[in-house]
Amino acid sequence: MKLFTRDETLFSFKCYISAMLALYISYSIGLRNPFWAMMTAYVVTTQPWAGSIRSKALYRLAGTILGSAAAIAIIPNLNQSPLLTTLAMSLWVGGCLYISLLDRTPRSYVFMLAGYTAALIGFPAVDDPIGLFDKGISRVEEISLGIMCAALVHTLLLPRSIAPVVMNGVDQTLADARTWIVSTLRCAAPEEDRQNRRKLANDITQLRLTASHIPFDTSNIRWSSHLLRALLNRIISLTPVISSVEDRINALQQAGQPLPPAAHGVMKHISEWVESGKQPDPEQLKSMHRAIDTITPAIEPDMKWHALLSASLATRLHELVNTYAKCLQMRIDLDTGIQNASDEASANRRKPDLHIDRGIALQSALAAAIAIGICCVFWIITAWPQGGTAAMMAAVFSSFFSTLDNPAAPMRVFLRYTIYSIPISAFYLLVALPSVHTFEMLAMVIFPVVFVLSALAIRPAYALKAMALLFGVLGTFALMDVNQATLDIYLNSITGQLAGTAVAALVASLFRTISAERAVIRIQNANRLDLATLASTRRVLSTPHLTSRMLDRVGLLQTRLPVENRTAQQETPDPLLALRVGNDIAVLQSALQSLPRAGQSVRRLLDNLAAFLRKPRQAPDQELLQQLDDALTNVLLAPAIGPSHHRAVVAMVGLRRGLFPQTAPYPITANIEEART
């Protein structure tokens, strides 16, 4: 193992200082259990950035207050009925967990903390509900003190801004998009590039989640968070456009219709500009659009299939140039700190639209409630003194790992390393701490273990194991009276912790774990339902939120596809396909009102497409293909009224390519003659 880096050492020192500050103040003002404040200071600082720590601190503080209020409301009123108390606490923790899983931003901490904080405060007070209010207030004070000390130290003492991480991520994302565009326009797309594009979607999602901490950052970038969000949304909208351009080029090559030299020249000119990474001046932008216009065939009723593909390609090239130029301009605006540089940035302040699986959230909530219920029933039947500790740990660990497909696996790792922490915590509680009589000596005795483990906690390869060891030690301090610790009390306490963790892992493995294959199916079905809703709507919808959510799903799919499937391009459906189909449906919906003669057939096509998409894992059939061809024929024969006619034709070509990529070209002659007669 490598020695600690400068950043790891600095982070660990700041964690230690904040924890000791919280511990010292707790002792000074006479709080019931000062080690809760110390442990909280470490719990808040799971990432090294000041913005992340401050945002989590705020949400954790709100969750702690809400959870304390729930415990004070539940325990005294239901204390005479242990089963009702168990049911109420299980429902509270499960309900809060369900709500938290519907939000994948840091705001989710509010309800997650509200859930298991009620368990942490409520279960130890079951035997003495009269003093619950005072205990609850004390616990809120301890936890709040730890939160505020962590936020204060990481803000004032050499704060580490999240801005460089986010800006480097933005630049890398733009660079990856630039590479994708250049390789597409030069008709050179190796398999490695295709895999990197799927990874790009996951990187964008992670970047958006990281950027959600920007408003809490210590640097000036927090004043431009809305512009950063708008830039990320613009990058998101760029991905289906590049994918569509790539698809049209491939379709023309597969149809035996190589691109004419003029088209190659235009794409070469665009690729050279993109590769330069320079913002184009207005005249250069107009020049590229004029060049694209020269290779754009006019939409006519008797167009050949390759001409339709060429028209679609040209339209997507226009979109590509405009969207990428806008990305570059917004990146410049972000650097110069222009607050109102973009009307889009000022108007678009919406939060990230991310994939939410309500079914899995409900499963997680039920698993947490069941785990707590099992511990409580055992506690009631056996009158085990540490039954409350087991129920608390079941609530905590059911919540901690609820976002994973297989939460049982990390729970087992946490359980194993909690067991490994027993000798360390036993040494401190039974040997070292009884010999300590001053705060200075206490701080010195604790330092070696917490310094090493907190430094390892931000190293990805060791994070989970280090956190398990660290919280195994600090959790034991917090759950026991360190001044009266004896071997039997210690063994009872640690047994309760291990039992609760083991029950949570067992319940998760039985009721909550899903395979990667099932997760992939659920994500794909969610895409289909979104597309069906878009196709069946009778009003024009704004689609950026849909594109954002689908791109998030592309990243989620990439992390779940087996390695062998990721490299088998021929056998694995393109995850970006749903993005392209969604954009084409949206364009067709917006153009529908401008197609009076062909509108009925297009509306019928969209309704049938929605019905098909609502049937999970069903392949498009020949009937849907015929309806698509008929609608395309009717649109081609309809008089062109404004640009909507052209957009509708291009969208239907895109739908045909997306739904039936291996089908024979559109039968122009037969369909046109039949429609005319």
Side-chain angles (χ1 to χ4, degrees):
M1 183 177 64
K2 297 180 181 179
L3 294 176
F4 300 134
T5 65
R6 175 184 175 277
D7 287 339
E8 290 170 344
T9 302
L10 179 61
F11 171 75
S12 186
F13 268 120
K14 289 193 290 186
C15 289
Y16 176 73
I17 292 171
S18 64
M20 292 302 104
L21 178 62
L23 187 63
Y24 179 79
I25 296 175
S26 297
Y27 274 121
S28 299
I29 62 179
L31 293 182
R32 289 173 179 264
N33 192 338
F35 281 100
W36 269 108
M38 176 184 173
M39 186 179 74
T40 301
Y42 277 102
V43 171
V44 174
T45 52
T46 54
Q47 292 179 326
W49 306 299
S52 169
I53 293 169
R54 282 152 51 119
S55 69
K56 289 183 177 180
L58 175 64
Y59 294 128
R60 286 179 184 273
L61 183 60
T64 299
I65 295 172
L66 182 59
S68 302
I72 292 171
I74 292 173
I75 299 300
N77 291 312
L78 300 177
N79 189 60
Q80 299 303 316
S81 175
L83 290 179
L84 283 179
T85 303
T86 298
L87 179 62
M89 290 295 288
S90 299
L91 290 177
W92 172 259
V93 176
C96 288
L97 181 58
Y98 174 78
I99 296 173
S100 75
L101 292 176
L102 300 183
D103 187 347
R104 287 170 54 202
T105 67
R107 289 191 306 268
S108 64
Y109 285 112
V110 172
F111 284 98
M112 182 182 291
L113 264 291
Y116 70 71
T117 297
L120 291 175
I121 294 175
F123 285 129
V126 167
D127 295 332
D128 182 22
I130 297 177
L132 176 60
F133 183 81
D134 291 338
K135 292 178 182 178
I137 293 298
S138 179
R139 185 60 43 81
V140 170
E141 291 173 340
E142 293 155 3
I143 294 176
S144 300
L145 180 61
I147 290 172
M148 289 187 288
C149 287
L152 182 67
V153 169
H154 285 270
T155 298
L156 298 180
L157 184 60
L158 299 175
R160 185 176 176 185
S161 172
I162 202 172
V165 177
V166 173
M167 299 311 295
N168 289 338
V170 169
D171 290 337
Q172 184 58 51
T173 300
L174 283 172
D176 292 341
R178 182 165 59 247
T179 301
W180 183 7
I181 295 171
V182 171
S183 65
T184 295
L185 295 179
R186 293 179 179 175
C187 305
E191 181 60 35
E192 182 180 353
D193 279 358
R194 293 192 176 98
Q195 304 311 317
N196 289 337
R197 290 166 204 163
R198 298 180 187 178
K199 182 177 178 294
L200 175 64
N202 187 55
D203 292 342
I204 291 175
T205 292
Q206 296 305 316
L207 183 59
R208 285 192 296 167
L209 293 175
T210 303
S212 64
H213 298 291
I214 284 289
F216 300 88
D217 199 58
T218 54
S219 68
N220 290 333
I221 195 177
R222 66 182 181 274
W223 307 117
S224 301
S225 60
H226 64 288
L227 183 57
L228 174 63
R229 191 181 308 122
L231 172 57
L232 292 175
N233 289 335
R234 180 63 68 169
I235 296 173
I236 288 168
S237 68
L238 182 64
T239 54
V241 177
I242 309 172
S243 181
S244 295
V245 169
E246 183 179 49
D247 177 77
R248 303 306 177 266
I249 293 174
N250 291 338
L252 286 166
Q253 292 174 337
Q254 292 167 7
Q257 297 287 342
L259 293 170
H264 275 294
V266 171
M267 292 195 302
K268 182 175 182 294
H269 179 52
I270 297 173
S271 69
E272 289 173 350
W273 159 63
V274 171
E275 193 170 30
S276 71
K278 296 179 180 178
Q279 173 66 16
D281 56 55
E283 186 55 40
Q284 184 182 3
L285 206 56
K286 291 178 181 177
S287 174
M288 284 188 284
H289 284 303
R290 285 195 297 266
I292 296 172
D293 287 336
T294 63
I295 63 169
T296 305
I299 300 296
E300 298 175 351
D302 56 351
M303 289 182 74
K304 303 295 185 184
W305 176 239
H306 69 86
L308 287 169
L309 289 173
S310 298
S312 177
L313 172 61
T315 300
R316 299 308 180 211
L317 287 174
H318 279 299
E319 296 174 3
L320 175 63
V321 169
N322 282 333
T323 307
Y324 186 68
K326 190 68 175 178
C327 287
L328 294 179
Q329 182 59 56
M330 295 175 77
R331 179 64 182 88
I332 293 172
D333 293 345
L334 190 59
D335 260 345
T336 54
I338 300 175
Q339 294 304 301
N340 297 314
S342 168
D343 292 337
E344 176 184 356
S346 300
N348 184 4
R349 295 174 180 266
R350 61 184 176 84
K351 300 301 181 182
D353 291 289
L354 304 174
H355 169 69
I356 300 298
D357 193 324
R358 296 179 182 274
I360 296 299
L362 182 59
Q363 279 186 258
S364 298
L366 290 175
I370 291 171
I372 295 170
I374 290 173
C375 292
C376 287
V377 169
F378 182 79
W379 179 18
I380 294 169
I381 293 174
T382 63
W384 180 31
Q386 294 302 320
T389 302
M392 290 161 49
M393 292 299 104
V396 169
F397 287 102
S398 294
S399 301
F400 271 4
F401 302 105
S402 57
T403 59
L404 303 176
D405 290 340
N406 180 13
M411 284 185 194
R412 287 193 290 267
V413 173
F414 219 94
L415 177 62
R416 185 165 70 251
Y417 279 84
T418 300
I419 294 174
Y420 296 160
S421 74
I422 291 176
I424 303 174
S425 58
F427 169 77
Y428 272 106
L429 281 171
L430 303 177
V431 179
L433 294 186
S435 304
V436 171
H437 302 292
T438 65
F439 179 82
E440 292 79 4
M441 186 176 294
L442 173 63
M444 291 177 60
V445 168
I446 292 175
F447 175 77
V449 170
V450 297
F451 175 78
V452 172
L453 293 179
S454 59
L456 291 175
I458 60 170
R459 188 177 291 185
Y462 299 96
L464 183 61
K465 300 171 184 177
M467 293 293 281
L469 289 170
L470 181 62
F471 293 142
V473 174
L474 298 183
T476 304
F477 292 175
L479 292 172
M480 294 183 60
D481 184 349
V482 296
N483 297 316
Q484 298 180 6
T486 60
L487 181 60
D488 59 331
I489 295 176
Y490 170 75
L491 291 177
N492 260 320
S493 177
I494 198 67
T495 302
Q497 294 180 54
L498 296 178
T501 308
V503 169
L506 178 62
V507 172
S509 65
L510 293 175
F511 299 103
R512 170 58 182 81
T513 299
I514 64 171
S515 65
E517 292 78 9
R518 184 184 166 201
V520 166
I521 292 172
R522 294 183 67 89
I523 294 170
Q524 291 173 335
N525 288 342
N527 265 343
R528 291 175 69 105
L529 288 176
D530 272 354
L531 292 176
T533 301
L534 182 62
S536 61
T537 185
R538 289 301 193 269
R539 66 183 189 277
V540 178
L541 296 176
S542 175
T543 57
H545 67 285
L546 180 66
T547 302
S548 173
R549 194 158 57 244
M550 286 188 170
L551 191 70
D552 177 41
R553 290 176 185 143
V554 174
L556 295 176
L557 284 172
Q558 175 64 12
T559 60
R560 288 165 171 80
L561 288 174
V563 175
E564 61 272 15
N565 284 352
R566 295 183 200 171
T567 58
Q569 179 70 17
Q570 294 81 5
E571 300 177 5
T572 305
D574 184 2
L576 291 171
L577 176 60
L579 277 171
R580 301 202 306 266
V581 171
N583 274 12
D584 289 328
I585 292 175
V587 170
L588 205 54
Q589 287 276 25
S590 64
L592 196 57
Q593 302 302 321
S594 303
L595 301 171
R597 288 182 54 179
Q600 186 175 359
S601 62
V602 174
R603 181 72 267 167
R604 185 164 53 250
L605 167 66
L606 290 173
D607 289 340
N608 290 329
L609 178 59
F612 151 70
L613 290 168
R614 289 194 176 95
K615 300 174 182 176
R617 301 181 65 79
Q618 178 174 321
D621 55 20
Q622 198 66 26
E623 182 180 355
L624 183 61
L625 174 61
Q626 186 60 51
Q627 291 170 347
L628 178 54
D629 285 345
D630 290 344
L632 178 54
T633 300
N634 289 331
V635 173
L636 286 171
L637 288 173
I641 304 176
S644 295
H645 182 264
H646 183 94
R647 292 201 304 268
V649 171
V650 169
M652 297 183 77
V653 171
L655 283 177
R656 199 177 195 278
R657 276 293 304 164
L659 297 174
F660 304 95
Q662 306 302 326
T663 306
Y666 168 64
I668 298 292
T669 305
N671 279 29
I672 294 294
E673 292 301 325
E674 181 180 347
R676 282 174 173 167
T677 57

